[in-house]
Amino acid sequence: MKLQSKLTLFSAATKIIILLVLVMVLPSVVNRVALYSTDQRLLQKKEQVFDIIEERGIESFLSDGTDETYGSYNLLKEEFISMEPIDPSQINNRIENTLRKVENEVVEYRVLSLGFELHGATYLLEIGRSLDTIRETSSTLQKYALYFLFSVVLLTVFMDLAFIKVLLRPLTLILRKLQRIGHPDSFKPTPLPTNTSDFVFLNETINAMMGHVKEAFRKEKEFIGNVSHELLTPISILQNRLENLMADPAVPDTVLLKLVENQKTLHRLKSIIQALLLISRIENEQYLKNERVNLLALVQDVVDEISDRAELKNVTISVSLSQSPVLQKANYSLLFTMLFNVVNNAIKYNKEGGSIHISGVRKDTRYELCVSDTGTGIAEDQLPKIFSRFKRTHAPDGESHGLGLAIVQTVAKFHRIKLDVSSEPGKGTDFKLLFKEL
């Protein structure tokens, strides 16, 4: 999972957890707030009542200020106010929930009870508010609070997503730059458009590291190219000397046999050096891609060239290309070498009397060329290693050095050809080449 997705999921998860906790404690908190608000409202009503008594006298509530009581309920019985004379010993100031019977109906109220003295007499003032009204208010507050919390969570998640995307954009640019690297030589060190010091340091470190890798590859290619070139001269001299000795009639047959073996060894060594030199030259881009190559003609030329080897092993080769695509920017000799090595492997590892089928089909702007054989196949655990240099399975003729497919891969990269190999041991191998530019 990408870092951006992880950060977004973490941010969303933490907010959801916080939301769940708030949802759990919200009813209790809202109820407390509603009760507190109600208590404050009752205290305000008490002050209003005292203001009326001070302005108009107790007679505004009690006609003679002694024995009569006063009670008033609003139309929906949501609130009430009552006042009555009491004994001073009965004073108990409090705010509590209590039940009251109003017109044969029992209603639960939040009631403020307050005793006070006026003109030598003691009175009990009670102001109440229906708990059903309080609960309805509390429910409304909870509902809108939940809506608000959900909205805040969604808004912050989207804001976090946008911020994380902007924050991690330099990392995305670094990853894209690394993904475009097909070869160290193609890497171009570029500054990163960001003021985040961590990303700047990471980009500079990668640039420096790729510079070292690029220099190491350059030295390796130069070494291989120079050594390969220098070794060809003494090998050619040795081959000429052996040929002269073999042409001498005075050389005994036993010595002649040893000279022939030495000549074969030198030939194999020369083939290895030439293969390494070819790979080095391709990687150093010493070849041009300035030819138009007809793929059908190329396949036919390879088949004609290799048909003698196929006949020696009694292997039949068939060709069926749906079209004849033309590669616009290519190198014919390199493509010939690449396809020749693929078909040669199909012959070498095929069974006696087997077959090879070369097919081609267009896929949109691309063209897929497939070389299928009925040979011994390749084990699944060996497939990732087949393009490694000097890595090979057993060659029946003993002449393979593990460089054929390394050359194929190098030429394919040079021409931006995608390689795909699938195989089943005992049944054969399918070698696919996907040409991207036609």
Side-chain angles (χ1 to χ4, degrees), residues 59-74:
E59 292 78 9
S60 300
F61 297 96
L62 302 175
S63 59
D64 58 2
T66 55
D67 298 330
E68 294 186 7
T69 62
Y70 172 82
S72 176
Y73 293 83
N74 65 0

Side-chain angles (χ1 to χ4, degrees), residues 31-32 34-36 38-39 42 80 94-100 106-113 126-132 134-135:
N31 284 332
R32 288 179 178 272
L35 287 176
Y36 177 79
T38 300
D39 293 346
L42 295 176
F80 79 89
R94 64 193 181 277
I95 298 179
E96 63 179 358
N97 298 337
T98 184
L99 297 176
R100 294 296 174 92
V106 177
V107 181
E108 189 175 10
Y109 287 95
R110 181 76 171 174
V111 178
L112 165 66
S113 299
E126 290 185 327
I127 304 174
R129 181 175 174 81
S130 170
L131 285 178
D132 288 338
I134 298 174
R135 293 189 184 102

Side-chain angles (χ1 to χ4, degrees), residues 2 171-183 186-187 206 210:
K2 293 183 177 180
L171 182 60
T172 303
L173 295 177
I174 292 175
L175 292 176
R176 288 177 181 174
K177 182 168 65 172
L178 292 176
Q179 289 171 350
R180 288 195 295 266
I181 300 175
H183 191 274
S186 64
F187 180 80
I206 291 175
M210 289 304 299

Side-chain angles (χ1 to χ4, degrees), residues 179-371:
Q179 289 171 350
R180 288 195 295 266
I181 300 175
H183 191 274
D185 286 338
S186 64
F187 180 80
K188 305 296 183 185
T190 55
L192 198 64
T194 181
N195 56 4
T196 305
S197 58
D198 293 334
F199 290 136
V200 173
F201 176 75
L202 176 61
N203 185 63
E204 291 176 350
T205 303
I206 291 175
N207 288 342
M209 180 189 68
M210 289 304 299
H212 293 310
V213 173
K214 187 175 181 179
E215 181 65 18
F217 266 72
R218 185 188 64 79
K219 290 181 179 179
E220 179 197 8
K221 290 188 294 184
E222 287 183 357
F223 173 78
I224 293 175
N226 294 335
V227 170
S228 300
H229 186 270
E230 294 298 327
L231 287 176
L232 284 177
T233 300
I235 289 175
S236 298
I237 293 174
L238 288 174
Q239 282 184 321
N240 290 332
R241 290 180 179 177
L242 289 178
E243 288 174 358
N244 292 335
L245 288 174
M246 291 169 62
D248 189 351
V251 176
D253 291 342
T254 55
V255 176
L256 188 61
L257 290 174
K258 292 182 179 181
L259 292 175
V260 171
E261 291 298 324
N262 290 334
Q263 186 78 323
K264 290 181 179 179
T265 301
L266 287 174
H267 176 72
R268 287 196 295 270
L269 181 58
K270 187 174 183 179
S271 298
I272 294 174
I273 293 173
Q274 288 176 335
L276 289 174
L277 188 59
L278 175 63
I279 293 174
S280 176
R281 287 174 176 171
I282 297 173
E283 290 180 342
N284 286 321
E285 298 184 355
Q286 296 180 8
Y287 289 89
L288 298 176
K289 291 186 293 185
N290 57 355
E291 298 174 296
R292 298 176 76 254
V293 178
N294 186 294
L295 204 54
L296 179 59
L298 174 67
V299 171
Q300 197 59 53
D301 290 345
V302 171
V303 172
D304 293 342
E305 180 72 21
I306 210 168
S307 58
D308 292 339
R309 299 190 184 191
E311 290 176 3
L312 289 175
K313 201 167 182 178
N314 195 25
V315 173
T316 59
I317 302 178
S318 59
V319 178
S320 61
L321 271 67
S322 60
Q323 298 178 6
S324 181
V326 177
L327 306 180
Q328 300 298 328
K329 296 179 180 181
N331 185 293
Y332 176 85
S333 63
L334 293 180
L335 290 175
F336 183 92
T337 301
M338 176 188 71
L339 189 57
F340 184 92
N341 284 340
V342 173
V343 179
N344 186 51
N345 272 5
I347 296 173
K348 186 184 298 182
Y349 294 99
N350 215 321
K351 60 185 179 182
E352 186 73 23
S355 64
I356 298 173
H357 183 61
I358 305 176
S359 60
V361 60
R362 182 181 290 275
K363 294 184 176 181
D364 297 329
T365 59
R366 303 179 179 185
Y367 195 86
E368 182 181 89
L369 186 68
C370 181
V371 179

